[in-house]
């Protein structure tokens, strides 16, 4: 989703991730906003900083990310993964160390451009919304409200998620396939080609709708909660955490963790539905999805609403939160690391494309 992710975010991310799940600090001007910078070098620096942050954060929690997806899509009549610890042990025993990181290469290939575009889009959206808000209110000292921050974050998440969605769809399938799968995707490009030839172009966007919907609460709340917490801590100097109107890395990490927790909890059911829709139409699906030969095949879904209805009817409301525990364990450090890494890399590169202090 916006939980990578978007929802789950990545998811979301997810949905997003996606996501997610990830924000550049919108630094508000006290005396106005600098003119937008259009220098190519500044753009590249901003994108590189976002890409590094996204790739590093997802790699750090790759085993938990894979387990989350396996729990989300496994056949309810053939349970192989019963929890976080048991699931990780099962993957290790059956597939070894490489199994814990299966799909991580594809995830990084997706999350780097996704995060880069998301960070950059948020910065531009924040600047534009703030300019429009000040113009309409006539108050040159006005600052972004939490609602406006949420809007900027949601716009950035939707743009980034839509631009890279086929890669996320492919990543989901590669993640769940095992050595015993009837047909193996050999990599991201092979999977993209196979899905396009066998299922058509639209198949690359299966689950796109719940991902877009999930971006709003997941990415939007990530940005809004993170920025609001930071502003409150700086202005009130609660607990003496702000020094010279700047927060330390640990405090920023805590703000990012709180933001990720709120976003992923609200959007998580949409991330589950997205993953299940991505498996529909997969002729040679992995056994984790289809079950053994004597087990019932996975349900087919005609759309998002149908997926919600059948999931709750056949597995109960709790099925919408399958994989929430490993996702909660991973999303907090993932989002927090992404926030802090972006700011550190941004400072190292001397990124100037931001709203000035």
């Amino acid at each position: 989703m916006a939980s990578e992710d978007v929802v789950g975010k990545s998811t979301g991310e997810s949905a997003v991730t996606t996501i997610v799940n990830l924000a550049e600090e919108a630094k508000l001007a006290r005396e106005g906003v600098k003119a937008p910078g259009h220098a190519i070098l500044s753009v590249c620096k901003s994108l590189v900083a976002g890409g590094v942050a996204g790739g590093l954060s997802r790699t750090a929690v790759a085993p938990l990310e894979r387990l989350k997806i396996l729990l989300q899509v496994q056949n309810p009549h053939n349970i192989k993964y019963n929890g976080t610890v048991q699931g990780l042990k099962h993957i290790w025993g059956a597939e070894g160390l490489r199994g814990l990181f299966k799909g991580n290469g594809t995830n990084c290939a997706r999350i780097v451009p996704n995060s880069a575009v998301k960070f950059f889009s948020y910065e531009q959206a924040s600047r534009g919304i703030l300019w429009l808000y000040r113009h309409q209110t006539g108050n040159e000292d006005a600052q972004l409200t939490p609602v406006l921050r949420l809007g900027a974050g949601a716009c950035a998440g939707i743009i980034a998620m839509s631009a890279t969605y086929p890669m996320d769809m492919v990543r989901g399938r590669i993640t769940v396939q095992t050595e015993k799968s009837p047909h193996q995707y050999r990599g991201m490009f092979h999977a993209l080609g196979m899905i396009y030839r066998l299922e058509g172009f639209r198949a690359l966007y299966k689950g796109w709708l719940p991902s877009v919907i999930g971006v709003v609460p997941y990415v939007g709340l990530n940005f809004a909660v993170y920025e609001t917490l930071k502003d409150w801590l700086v202005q009130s100097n609660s607990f003496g955490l702000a020094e010279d109107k700047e927060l330390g890395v640990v405090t920023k990490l805590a703000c990012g963790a709180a933001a990720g927790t709120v976003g992923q909890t609200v959007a998580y059911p949409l991330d589950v539905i997205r993953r299940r829709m991505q498996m529909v139409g997969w002729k040679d699906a992995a056994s984790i999805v289809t079950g053994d030969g004597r087990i019932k095949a996975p349900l087919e879904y005609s759309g998002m609403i149908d997926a919600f209805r059948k999931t709750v009817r056949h597995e109960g409301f709790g099925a919408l939160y399958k994989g929430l525990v490993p996702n909660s364990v991973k999303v907090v450090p993932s989002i927090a690391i992404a926030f802090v890494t972006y700011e550190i890399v941004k400072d190292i590169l001397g990124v100037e494309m931001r709203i000035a202090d």
Side-chain angles (χ1 to χ4, degrees), residues 1-2 5-19 72-73 110 157-158 161-162 164-170 172-173 195 199-215 267-281 301-308:
M1 142 147 47
D5 167 56
V6 161
V7 178
K9 59 284 194 139
S10 280
T11 277
E13 75 72 208
S14 135
V16 215
T17 338
T18 205
I19 178 34
Q72 288 177 330
V73 304
R110 177 192 70 87
I158 291 173
M161 183 276 298
S162 298
T164 60
Y165 191 80
M167 298 171 71
D168 179 69
M169 195 274 190
V170 163
R173 290 195 176 184
I195 294 172
E199 302 175 48
F201 178 78
R202 292 182 62 183
L204 295 173
Y205 280 87
K206 287 179 178 178
W208 179 82
L209 182 58
S211 296
V212 170
I213 296 174
V215 160
Y268 194 78
L270 289 162
D271 188 53
V272 172
I273 295 303
R274 169 179 65 131
R275 289 297 174 201
R276 294 193 169 199
M277 292 179 68
Q278 289 177 347
M279 303 300 138
V280 172
Y301 308 118
S302 60
M304 182 182 70
I305 301 300
D306 184 52
F308 266 110

Side-chain angles (χ1 to χ4, degrees), residues 50 55 79 89 97 111 164 186 189 205 239 250 260 299 304 323:
I79 302 297
K89 287 182 177 179
L97 180 63
I111 202 62
T164 60
R186 295 193 296 270
F189 293 108
Y205 280 87
F239 313 109
V250 175
L299 292 170
M304 182 182 70

Side-chain angles (χ1 to χ4, degrees), residues 20-22 57 218 222 256 259-260 330-340:
V20 346
N21 344 57
L22 301 169
S57 64
Y218 183 70
N222 276 345
K330 82 166 184 65
V331 79
V332 171
S334 177
I335 296 293
I337 291 171
F339 278 126
V340 177

Side-chain angles (χ1 to χ4, degrees), residues 23-328:
E24 183 337 54
E25 172 187 357
K27 297 196 172 181
L28 305 177
R30 293 183 180 276
E31 301 178 354
V33 181
K34 288 184 177 179
H38 299 289
I40 295 177
L41 182 58
S42 293
V43 174
C44 291
K45 285 181 178 180
S46 184
L47 293 177
V48 168
V52 171
L56 180 61
S57 64
R58 290 305 178 97
T59 299
V61 296
L64 291 168
E65 174 67 15
R66 188 190 180 205
L67 176 61
K68 180 202 74 171
I69 295 176
L70 291 171
L71 288 169
Q72 288 177 330
V73 304
Q74 71 175 337
N75 192 299
H77 304 285
N78 186 28
I79 302 297
K80 294 181 179 180
Y81 306 94
N82 293 310
T84 304
V85 176
Q86 182 274 338
L88 291 173
K89 287 182 177 179
H90 183 84
I91 295 173
W92 175 272
E95 304 176 61
L97 180 63
R98 293 183 61 185
L100 293 173
F101 289 88
K102 181 170 289 185
N104 185 54
T106 304
N107 190 27
C108 287
R110 177 192 70 87
I111 202 62
V112 168
N114 180 280
S115 297
V117 174
K118 187 183 300 179
F119 281 120
F120 179 71
S121 299
Y122 178 71
E123 195 158 335
Q124 299 307 305
S126 296
R127 181 180 288 112
I129 290 174
L130 180 58
W131 178 87
L132 182 62
Y133 182 58
R134 288 177 173 177
H135 181 73
Q136 290 185 341
T137 61
N139 181 8
E140 291 301 319
D141 294 323
Q143 297 183 351
L144 289 176
T145 66
V147 174
L148 293 179
R149 289 172 181 165
L150 189 147
C155 288
I158 291 173
I159 291 172
M161 183 276 298
S162 298
T164 60
Y165 191 80
M167 298 171 71
D168 179 69
M169 195 274 190
V170 163
R171 194 260 300 198
R173 290 195 176 184
I174 291 178
T175 296
V176 303
Q177 75 176 1
T178 65
E179 299 300 328
K180 297 181 180 179
S181 298
H183 184 83
Q184 290 284 319
Y185 291 129
R186 295 193 296 270
M188 180 179 67
F189 293 108
H190 179 255
L192 285 169
M194 290 293 293
I195 294 172
Y196 176 76
R197 287 195 298 271
L198 298 177
E199 302 175 48
F201 178 78
R202 292 182 62 183
L204 295 173
Y205 280 87
K206 287 179 178 178
W208 179 82
L209 182 58
S211 296
V212 170
I213 296 174
V215 160
V216 176
Y218 183 70
V219 178
L221 286 174
N222 276 345
F223 280 100
V225 173
Y226 179 72
E227 297 295 343
T228 301
L229 279 175
K230 284 186 62 179
D231 284 352
W232 175 71
L233 289 172
V234 170
Q235 294 173 11
S236 66
N237 195 24
S238 299
F239 313 109
L241 298 175
E243 184 175 346
D244 295 330
K245 294 186 178 181
E246 286 292 334
L247 298 177
V249 173
V250 175
T251 304
K252 290 178 180 178
L253 192 70
C255 291
T261 300
V262 173
Q264 67 93 19
T265 301
V266 173
Y268 194 78
L270 289 162
D271 188 53
V272 172
I273 295 303
R274 169 179 65 131
R275 289 297 174 201
R276 294 193 169 199
M277 292 179 68
Q278 289 177 347
M279 303 300 138
V280 172
W282 187 6
K283 180 182 177 182
D284 297 313
S287 61
I288 186 65
V289 178
T290 61
D292 296 330
R294 65 182 183 279
I295 303 297
K296 296 180 180 179
L299 292 170
E300 295 289 323
Y301 308 118
S302 60
M304 182 182 70
I305 301 300
D306 184 52
F308 266 110
R309 183 170 56 247
K310 288 181 177 178
T311 297
V312 174
R313 179 191 305 163
H314 294 280
E315 302 176 55
F317 182 78
L320 296 176
Y321 285 90
K322 285 186 173 181
L324 179 62
V325 173
N327 189 64
S328 297

